[in-house]
Amino acid sequence: MNWNGKTVGYALTGSHCTLEEVMPQIKRFVDAGANVVPIISHSVAMTDTRFGKAADWQKQLKELTGNDIIASIVDAEPLGPSKLLDVMAIAPCTGNTTSKLANAMTESPVLMAAKAQMRNGRPLVLAISTNDGLGLNSANIAKLLITKNVYFVPFGQDAPQAKPNSLVARMDLIMETCEAALEGKQLQPMLIERFLYS
């Protein structure tokens, strides 16, 4: 697919252990010629963890994309009227974000951007990373699976013995899922085998 002239909204939420894994995926879009607009949740904006400092992640995002980061609801709101984004990915998409999106809650920059994308009838791609995907959050995932213009990066259990409810997307398939979504298709297979270990 030719990404030149396409604008990708790339949102990151607080699955901090996954941030390092998704940075190369952002670079793939940039290298392919897409304009990437970075969007971050409050957790990514403010939380230092053993996986890295918030300021360092933001510096890396800005350097990768060459764009300012949308880090407030106020800054995310214009994405609706402007119809700026051709496709938006939330990767990683936490269980917290999944549940709020499924229940129409808009209390973060990422959720405001997602709401704008859905308002415009444009594709929204979710790369889930949640410890309760087969627990309480399964109902929210199910609601989003049947929501128009919402697509999932193929996902599966990442540690079925140690964390039987945990689901994580194949982050290396984010671009391919976005390409399919722009054609109105769900990348298949959507349910995959990830890592099987105890």
Side-chain angles (χ1 to χ4, degrees), residues 30-80:
V30 174
D31 289 347
N35 174 38
V36 178
V37 177
I39 307 158
I40 58 175
S41 68
H42 299 308
S43 178
V44 175
M46 301 171 62
T47 308
D48 294 338
T49 72
R50 63 190 172 98
F51 300 104
K53 294 183 177 180
D56 292 339
W57 290 121
Q58 290 173 66
K59 181 174 182 284
Q60 189 174 348
L61 261 181
K62 191 164 183 179
E63 289 174 351
L64 268 176
T65 65
N67 286 318
D68 290 334
I69 298 168
I70 293 176
S72 73
I73 290 175
V74 171
D75 289 340
E77 191 278 333
L79 292 173

Side-chain angles (χ1 to χ4, degrees), residues 21 154-158 168-171 192-196:
E21 187 179 353
F155 62 88
Q157 290 175 280
D158 60 309
V168 178
R170 274 269 308 271
M171 301 301 170
I192 59 166
E193 182 174 89
R194 264 190 60 101
F195 307 108
L196 295 177

Side-chain angles (χ1 to χ4, degrees), residues 2-198:
N2 183 0
W3 284 95
N4 288 306
K6 299 286 188 189
T7 298
V8 177
Y10 199 105
L12 299 96
T13 66
S15 176
H16 298 278
C17 60
T18 315
L19 297 183
E20 184 174 359
E21 187 179 353
V22 300
M23 290 298 170
Q25 306 313 315
I26 298 171
K27 188 175 186 300
R28 285 183 69 198
F29 283 109
V30 174
D31 289 347
N35 174 38
V36 178
V37 177
I39 307 158
I40 58 175
S41 68
H42 299 308
S43 178
V44 175
M46 301 171 62
T47 308
D48 294 338
T49 72
R50 63 190 172 98
F51 300 104
K53 294 183 177 180
D56 292 339
W57 290 121
Q58 290 173 66
K59 181 174 182 284
Q60 189 174 348
L61 261 181
K62 191 164 183 179
E63 289 174 351
L64 268 176
T65 65
N67 286 318
D68 290 334
I69 298 168
I70 293 176
S72 73
I73 290 175
V74 171
D75 289 340
E77 191 278 333
L79 292 173
S82 70
K83 299 184 178 179
L84 177 67
L85 308 179
D86 294 295
V87 62
M88 176 179 167
I90 306 178
C93 183
T94 61
N96 184 47
T97 299
T98 303
S99 66
K100 289 176 180 177
L101 183 61
N103 290 285
M105 297 174 69
T106 310
E107 50 74 73
S108 78
V110 171
L111 291 164
M112 176 59 81
K115 178 182 177 181
Q117 191 73 352
M118 294 170 81
R119 157 192 161 168
N120 290 331
R122 293 186 174 182
L124 176 64
V125 171
L126 308 180
I128 59 173
S129 181
T130 172
N131 284 326
D132 69 338
L134 294 177
L136 287 174
N137 221 349
S138 60
N140 298 312
I141 292 171
K143 285 173 74 173
L144 293 168
L145 282 170
I146 59 169
T147 301
K148 187 176 180 180
N149 298 318
V150 174
Y151 303 89
F152 282 78
V153 177
F155 62 88
Q157 290 175 280
D158 60 309
Q161 303 304 320
K163 302 186 295 181
N165 287 342
S166 182
L167 295 174
V168 178
R170 274 269 308 271
M171 301 301 170
D172 60 318
L173 293 176
I174 292 168
M175 179 180 274
E176 289 77 5
T177 307
C178 288
E179 290 175 351
L182 281 165
E183 297 177 358
K185 299 175 183 176
Q186 169 62 56
L187 187 67
Q188 297 291 345
M190 185 180 66
L191 297 177
I192 59 166
E193 182 174 89
R194 264 190 60 101
F195 307 108
L196 295 177
Y197 58 85
S198 57

